[in-house]
């Protein structure tokens, strides 16, 4: 059994730990012994304790992930700790920690100090012949200009041979949600090595974890290319979303249904992934990744003239999206939100996922409250909203006292609500900010004369 150590047991590392530990040989024996390492902080300890007790540390609907975790813990080939000595026994180390965007004197910056500090914990401990795979989203140049020199320096000090060290980058496309586990095992992967031998070893490892028959791996020529791939992928999506914003405003003003228009356009295979108007863009990745290349160009690669204006503008437009809904509500209530009772339906950054990081609902609620609105929130997947320190209703509350109910996240539970039964007060405005309600629900709203507004529809 190969020993794999995973640094960071967050949304990515925990799921990857389960995926790797679930792999069995033809005799049903595990291929890997997996040790997950997290920090000895409250959050880190909670994640460690969860995994060791056979529970996934995050709310998930994916039964496969939960089941594979339990099986691996019971079999004894998955455990979680915070002792960094474990790196010394690893043959493969996966780095799945966060690399955060921070504000430095009002400017966007990347917190590389934490990232490099974490790499030091590995380079001080690993043995020769270890393969280190960076899975974190990092600025282009990180592996070549920062990580490899750190290992070189440490190996030099520890009198180890750097030629017996292998470094690769392979970014994650894991998608928390109903198919969390499959989004690792049954999905395409990109990778690159710092040299040929590193790339070969990374390929050999990924081939044992991923279903490469149906989802072949893509090898890129350098780690900078792989690091750039992740950022370009997410920037493309962020720009595509931001681009639709101005069309949404137009559609509302001119009285057309932009979702219908977009569905018609999506029939063309070249336009099949066109985005649609919505409430906002959140989550840990799309809110930061489009800004990484700009920073890396200057700070790591020493290049001038790469400002990435589209990517930067996309982040700004997407950040401001939830304020459009707020502005429309304000107009509806005669320009004054003071004392208006609002129920926000959905606080996670994505449907059917319990992750509230950088959620547009947070921007909405903070701004709305600053204008005097009284905002309560409901989410079927969250009973405590950490970022807002708010207890939430997971059952549908009595709707009587709400002046407006804003559907912000298309959780599947919302499509089952019988609005006519739930809405007792005919002056309550139903605001669909994210194409959440089904055609049947919208018809029901109209037939019963309920008040209705939407983003992207006139
Ligand atoms: N969340 C996603 O859906 C997703 C998808 C693709 C890629 N990514 C990328 O993957 C990386 C991880 O994302 P995440 O969502 O899992 O982040 P996260 O914040 O949920 O998890 C990071 C974990 O690493 C731990 N950690 C930090 N420093 C450590 C150290 N020195 N030793 C051990 N543990 C340490 C933290 O305590 C935390 O538990 C990021 O670069 C992110 O951009 C995330």
């Amino acid at each position: 059994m190969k020993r794999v150590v995973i640094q960071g047991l967050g949304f990515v590392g925990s799921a990857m730990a389960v995926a790797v530990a679930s792999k069995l040989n033809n005799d049903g024996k595990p291929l890997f012994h997996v040790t997950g390492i997290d920090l000895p902080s409250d959050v880190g300890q909670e994640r460690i304790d969860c995994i060791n007790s056979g529970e996934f540390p995050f709310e998930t609907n994916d039964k496969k992930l939960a089941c594979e975790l339990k099986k691996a813990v019971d079999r004894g080939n998955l455990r979680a700790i915070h002792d960094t000595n474990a790196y010394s026994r690893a043959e493969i180390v996966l780095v799945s920690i966060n690399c955060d965007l921070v504000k430095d004197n009002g400017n966007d910056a990347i917190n590389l100090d934490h990232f490099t500090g974490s790499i030091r914990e590995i380079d001080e401990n690993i043995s020769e012949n270890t393969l280190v795979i960076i899975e974190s989203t990092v600025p282009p140049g990180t592996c070549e200009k920062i990580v490899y020199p750190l290992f070189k320096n440490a190996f030099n000090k520890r009198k180890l041979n750097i030629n017996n060290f292998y470094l690769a980058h392979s970014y994650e496309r894991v998608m928390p949600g109903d198919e969390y586990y499959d989004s690792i095992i049954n999905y395409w992967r990109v990778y690159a090595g710092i040299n040929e031998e590193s790339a070969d070893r990374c390929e050999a490892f990924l081939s044992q974890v991923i279903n490469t028959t149906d989802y072949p791996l893509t090898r890129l020529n350098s780690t900078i290319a792989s690091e750039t791939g992740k950022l370009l992928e997410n920037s493309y999506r962020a720009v595509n979303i931001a681009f639709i914003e101005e069309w949404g405003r137009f559609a509302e003003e001119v009285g057309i249904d932009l979702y219908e228009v977009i569905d018609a356009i999506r029939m063309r295979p070249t336009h099949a992934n066109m985005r649609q108007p919505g409430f906002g863009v959140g989550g840990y990745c799309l809110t930061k990744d489009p800004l990484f290349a700009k920073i890396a160009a200057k700070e790591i690669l020493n290049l001038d003239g790469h400002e990435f204006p589209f990517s930067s503008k996309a982040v700004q437009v997407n950040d401001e999206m939830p304020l459009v809904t707020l502005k429309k509500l304000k107009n509806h209530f005669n320009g004054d939100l003071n004392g208006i009772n609002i129920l926000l339906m959905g606080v996670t950054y994505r449907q059917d996922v319990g992750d509230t990081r950088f959620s547009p609902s947070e921007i909405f609620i903070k701004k709305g409250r600053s204008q005097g609105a009284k905002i309560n929130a409901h989410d079927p997947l969250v009973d405590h909203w950490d970022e807002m320190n708010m207890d939430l209703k997971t059952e549908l509350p009595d709707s009587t006292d709400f002046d407006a109910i804003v559907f912000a996240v298309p959780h599947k539970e919302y499509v089952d609500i019988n609005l006519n039964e739930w809405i007792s007060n005919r002056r309550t405005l139903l605001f669909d900010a994210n194409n959440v309600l089904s055609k049947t629900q919208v018809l029901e709203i109209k037939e019963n004369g309920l008040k209705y507004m939407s983003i992207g529809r006139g």
Side-chain angles (χ1 to χ4, degrees), residues 38 62 65 101 105 110 116 193 214 248 259 277-278 305 337 342 362:
D38 211 295
D62 185 6
L65 185 73
L101 185 78
N105 286 327
I110 300 171
T116 52
D214 297 323
Y259 301 96
L337 285 175
I342 299 173
E362 186 178 332

Side-chain angles (χ1 to χ4, degrees), residues 142-157:
T142 301
C143 284
E144 199 179 300
K145 314 268 181 216
I146 298 173
V147 176
Y148 194 73
L150 281 173
F151 278 99
K152 210 168 163 182
N153 193 23
F155 268 46
N156 200 16
K157 275 197 194 132

